[in-house]
């Protein structure tokens, strides 16, 4: 098969060994994958795949099942599916544990379906499982124009959670509001915590989803309501910061660190099953939709990475593997 190989500064589409099918796994003829910031971090040497995972880039895919391993009953050959991966998406053939595979929503194309698993699983896991965001509670989504952000906005809207977002321009804020956010602030124009206090009438937010980390920690803690939860899913703003322990104690705050990729197969299957139950019907009826900035052939993976690195995209960048 062919797959993207990292060769120095280049991403090269070339021949490589196809992954082996084993018990409990599914082989997929891959039609599309999508780019995530984790791919850029892995390419730079800062985010290696978990033990046993494919070294090929790519955390999600969509395609057709061609074979299943022993013990698999979740899907069968011929099914059109999408899957959450620990690696291997930038390739013609993918092998993945069955629990991380779902039949794709029937109305979606492979390109649309490939943009779903990683970001919707990340947003759902961290908002509704880790932080236990309840109906009516207020959420803050940093990087609202990202893939995770656009997924989170739509799920919060559908599940009855008012949302405040931050993003890198007013144009992005406006698009987030069109997507379902209630308010937002361009992160370049000032302290978001002041705008957030106004939006919440001084009460603060119940849950904050943050891919920034260190540089936002103080403002995040100041922005939380009593019993609020901060979920940190990235370190774009640094890995270290001072913590206001007194504020945490008085307001009974919780800071949750979370990643998805390194979780066990069984843990990922639980997240995927929750998506099937709560989110898949909304994708089927159009309440929630994939948000895609650009579609490029997989051979142009390097260009796709440049798009993501440029911070000008809204939603996902998808790589087409097959027509």
């Amino acid at each position: 098969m062919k797959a993207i190989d990292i060769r120095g500064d280049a991403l090269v589409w070339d021949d490589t060994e196809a992954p082996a099918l084993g018990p409990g796994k599914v082989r997929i003829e891959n039609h599309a994958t999508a780019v995530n910031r984790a791919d850029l971090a892995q390419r730079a040497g800062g985010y290696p795949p978990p033990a046993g995972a494919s070294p090929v880039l790519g955390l999600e895919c969509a395609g057709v099942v061609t074979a299943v391993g022993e013990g698999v009953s979740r899907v069968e050959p011929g099914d059109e599916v999408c899957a959450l991966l620990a690696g291997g998406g930038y390739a013609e053939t993918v092998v993945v544990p069955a629990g991380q595979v779902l039949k794709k929503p029937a109305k979606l194309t492979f390109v649309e379906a490939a943009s779903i698993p990683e970001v919707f699983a990340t947003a759902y896991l961290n908002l509704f499982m880790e932080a236990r965001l309840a109906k009516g509670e207020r959420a803050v989504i940093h990087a609202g124009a990202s893939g995770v952000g656009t997924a989170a906005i739509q799920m919060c809207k559908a599940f009855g959670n008012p949302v405040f977002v931050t993003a890198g321009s007013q144009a992005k804020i406006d698009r987030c509001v069109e997507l379902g956010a209630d308010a937002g602030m361009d992160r370049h124009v000032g302290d978001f915590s002041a705008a957030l206090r106004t939006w919440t009438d001084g009460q603060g937010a119940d849950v904050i989803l943050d891919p920034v980390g260190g540089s936002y920690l103080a403002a995040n803690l100041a922005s939380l309501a009593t019993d609020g939860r901060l979920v940190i899913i990235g370190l774009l703003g640094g890995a270290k910061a001072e913590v206001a322990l007194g504020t945490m104690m008085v307001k009974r705050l919780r800071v949750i660190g979370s990643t998805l990729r390194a979780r066990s197969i069984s843990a990922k299957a639980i997240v995927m099953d929750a998506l099937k139950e709560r989110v898949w019907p909304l994708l089927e009826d159009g309440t929630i939709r994939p948000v895609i900035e650009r579609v490029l052939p997989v051979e142009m993976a390097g260009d796709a990475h440049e798009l993501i690195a440029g911070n000008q995209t809204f939603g996902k960048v998808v790589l087409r593997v097959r027509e």
Side-chain angles (χ1 to χ4, degrees):
M1 72 167 189
K2 287 186 179 294
I4 288 291
D5 185 26
I6 303 172
R7 296 183 186 171
D9 293 332
L11 297 180
V12 181
W13 183 245
D14 204 356
D15 292 323
T16 191
E17 185 177 353
L21 180 68
K25 295 188 176 181
V26 175
R27 179 182 292 135
I28 300 170
E29 178 188 77
N30 193 16
H31 283 240
T33 185
V35 179
N36 295 280
R37 282 198 175 271
D39 301 337
L40 279 66
Q42 180 177 333
R43 179 185 178 186
Y47 192 38
S54 171
V56 174
L57 299 171
L59 301 181
E60 55 200 331
C61 74
V64 179
V65 175
T66 57
V68 299
E70 181 182 352
V72 174
S73 58
R74 188 181 184 94
V75 293
E76 60 186 26
D79 284 345
E80 297 183 346
V81 298
C82 57
L84 176 70
L85 312 174
Y90 292 20
E92 290 181 318
T93 301
V94 174
V95 170
V96 57
Q100 295 166 217
V101 181
L102 290 176
K103 293 180 182 178
K104 77 173 181 65
K107 294 182 180 179
L108 299 188
T109 65
F110 287 120
V111 163
E112 292 170 328
S115 73
I116 294 171
E118 172 69 15
V119 294
F120 276 88
T122 296
Y124 189 89
L125 164 68
N126 292 298
L127 287 171
F128 300 102
M129 299 174 76
E130 291 285 2
R132 300 184 182 276
L133 183 64
K135 185 175 182 178
E137 288 190 315
R138 289 174 288 210
V140 174
I141 310 298
H142 291 305
S146 67
V148 172
T150 54
I153 290 167
Q154 293 185 84
M155 286 191 288
C156 286
K157 177 73 172 180
F159 299 151
N161 299 105
V163 179
F164 182 98
V165 299
T166 64
S169 70
Q170 186 58 47
K172 286 185 175 181
I173 296 298
D174 292 342
R175 291 187 67 181
C176 287
V177 170
E178 290 174 5
L179 200 58
D182 295 273
M185 179 178 176
D186 177 352
R187 61 184 171 86
H188 296 297
V189 302
D191 179 9
F192 69 83
S193 61
L196 185 58
R197 283 194 295 271
T198 299
W199 181 65
T200 62
D201 295 324
Q203 296 179 22
D206 298 293
V207 171
I208 298 176
L209 183 64
D210 177 39
V212 179
S215 63
Y216 273 20
L217 182 60
N220 279 334
L221 294 180
S223 299
L224 285 170
T226 299
D227 293 315
R229 291 84 76 196
L230 166 64
V231 188
I232 300 174
I233 61 170
L235 300 172
L236 294 172
K240 295 182 179 181
E242 291 188 0
V243 179
L245 294 176
T247 299
M248 289 186 64
M249 293 170 66
V250 170
K251 295 170 69 176
R252 301 187 298 274
L253 305 180
R254 279 171 280 171
V255 177
I256 303 164
S258 180
T259 62
L260 174 60
R261 188 182 193 186
R263 291 178 187 245
S264 67
I265 293 169
S266 59
K268 292 176 184 176
I270 290 170
V271 179
M272 295 301 281
D273 287 343
L275 289 182
K276 180 181 179 181
E277 178 182 352
R278 296 197 69 192
V279 178
W280 248 234
L282 302 177
L283 287 162
E284 292 280 10
D285 70 15
T287 300
I288 289 175
R289 60 182 177 82
V291 179
I292 297 173
E293 170 77 20
R294 189 84 61 85
V295 181
L296 296 171
V298 70
E299 295 89 345
M300 295 179 65
D303 297 273
H305 280 209
E306 289 181 11
L307 282 173
I308 296 295
N311 293 321
Q312 299 303 310
T313 56
F314 188 87
K316 297 299 294 278
V317 174
V318 176
L319 298 174
R320 191 189 303 276
V321 178
R322 285 180 172 85
E323 291 296 334

